[in-house]
């Protein structure tokens, strides 16, 4: 158990809908990262938040947005869903903002299926 | 941009066989390098890491050496067990306090160990 929790575990929805994925980092971790794992794209970095502020953006679509709240939990919002958004979405957390050897601790993931 | 290339899988071995999974990278600066493992139905777990050239990371019998001259971080284990069956990801970490941080992952290598 990494200490990172993600809800829900599974999500099935239809095209065009909007969903929210939730992540609680390990106690004391200030950085939260979101990754998408799909069969065709592999594991891709989406976005990083540090202590409530966006710090880095990767291959995140404009239909997707995220935020980190004062209690440090984070939400990833996916809207106007398409079939291709079906994937496993991972949240990870780390203590610092950008330490070179900092380990990122991964949650169990949310499996999103868009029908 | 940064990228990681892993040997194509899947890899199937018999118990007690020697394992090598190749990983090469392209990056600016001096990234930290990681191997993560993903067991079926679970999130990613850090297996080992190296933060500078010639560092050797090791854990649970697995080893990898950060080779700057060949930009490689090959994973090795002398004698694999059935319980090592999983997907292995090579990753590089780039982080700057001014522009955030991220992990860039390779494609992943599925390892199956037969008794």
């Amino acid at each position: 158990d990494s200490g990172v929790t993600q809800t829900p575990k599974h999500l099935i929805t239809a095209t065009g809908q909007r969903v929210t994925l939730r992540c609680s980092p390990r106690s004391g971790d200030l950085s939260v990262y979101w990754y998408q794992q799909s069969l065709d794209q592999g594991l891709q970095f989406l976005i990083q938040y540090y202590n409530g502020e966006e710090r880095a953006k990767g291959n995140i679509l404009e239909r997707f947005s995220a935020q980190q709240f004062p209690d440090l939990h984070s939400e990833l919002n996916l809207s106007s869903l398409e079939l291709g958004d079906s994937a496993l979405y991972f949240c990870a957390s780390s203590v610092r903002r950008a330490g070179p050897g900092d380990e990122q601790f991964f949650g169990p993931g949310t499996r999103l299926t868009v029908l | 941009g940064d990228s990681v290339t892993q040997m194509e899988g899947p890899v199937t071995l018999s118990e007690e066989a020697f394992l090598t999974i190749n990983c090469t990278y392209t990056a600016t600066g001096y990234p930290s390098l990681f191997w993560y493992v993903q067991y079926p139905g679970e999130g990613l777990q850090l297996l080992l890491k190296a933060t500078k050239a010639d560092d050797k990371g090791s854990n649970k019998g697995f080893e990898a050496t950060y080779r700057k001259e060949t930009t490689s971080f090959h994973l090795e284990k002398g004698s694999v067990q059935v319980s090592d069956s999983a997907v292995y990801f090579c990753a590089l970490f780039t982080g700057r306090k001014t522009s955030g941080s991220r992990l860039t992952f390779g494609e992943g290598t599925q390892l199956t160990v037969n008794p």
Side-chain angles (χ1 to χ4, degrees):
Chain A
D1 184 354
S2 67
V4 178
T5 59
Q6 289 187 248
T7 55
K9 191 164 184 171
H10 300 280
L11 200 47
I12 301 174
T13 188
T15 55
Q17 296 298 305
R18 172 189 170 93
V19 297
T20 297
L21 313 184
R22 182 189 168 101
C23 167
S24 292
R26 290 189 322 153
S27 176
D29 284 0
L30 300 178
S31 267
V32 169
Y33 307 79
W34 286 96
Y35 294 88
Q36 178 194 59
Q37 185 178 31
S38 62
L39 284 175
D40 54 344
Q41 299 288 332
L43 252 174
Q44 289 199 95
F45 167 73
L46 296 178
I47 197 163
Q48 179 208 2
Y49 277 83
Y50 174 79
N51 205 20
E53 292 187 8
E54 182 186 303
R55 295 298 301 160
K57 255 185 175 177
N59 298 322
I60 187 166
L61 299 172
E62 285 191 11
R63 299 184 286 109
F64 296 0
S65 64
Q67 52 184 330
Q68 187 179 27
F69 294 87
D71 67 351
L72 300 177
H73 91 270
S74 178
E75 292 181 355
L76 180 67
N77 300 295
L78 314 177
S79 61
S80 302
L81 285 167
E82 302 175 359
L83 295 177
D85 298 328
S86 296
L88 196 49
Y89 291 85
F90 286 109
C91 168
S93 72
S94 68
V95 174
R96 293 186 292 177
R97 198 164 42 184
D102 284 355
E103 178 179 353
Q104 291 184 22
F105 294 85
F106 281 76
T110 293
R111 182 166 294 283
L112 173 66
T113 302
V114 182
L115 301 176
Chain B
D2 299 337
S3 66
V4 176
T5 303
Q6 282 182 238
M7 66 183 291
E8 296 197 8
V11 174
T12 302
L13 296 173
S14 298
E15 207 165 22
E16 298 184 4
F18 184 84
L19 168 71
T20 299
I21 301 177
N22 290 336
C23 170
T24 57
Y25 67 90
T26 302
T28 53
Y30 304 96
S32 297
L33 300 173
F34 297 79
W35 277 99
Y36 277 84
V37 58
Q38 185 178 27
Y39 297 102
E42 298 184 14
L44 280 77
Q45 300 173 27
L46 178 66
L47 182 59
L48 53 84
K49 68 180 182 183
T51 58
K52 60 184 188 296
D54 300 324
D55 267 2
K56 177 187 277 189
S58 60
N59 185 26
K60 299 181 183 178
F62 290 89
E63 292 183 341
T65 300
Y66 189 160
R67 300 284 188 204
K68 187 164 176 288
E69 63 277 11
T70 54
T71 61
S72 64
F73 193 53
H74 305 321
L75 182 69
E76 296 182 335
K77 186 175 186 183
S79 176
V80 294
Q81 306 300 312
V82 172
S83 58
D84 293 327
S85 298
V87 181
Y88 292 81
F89 292 92
C90 183
L92 70 83
F93 174 87
T94 50
R96 293 173 184 81
K97 287 197 167 94
T98 52
S99 59
S101 55
R102 70 193 66 191
L103 285 168
T104 301
F105 288 91
E107 305 88 342
T109 300
Q110 171 75 58
L111 170 66
T112 301
V113 181
N114 295 317

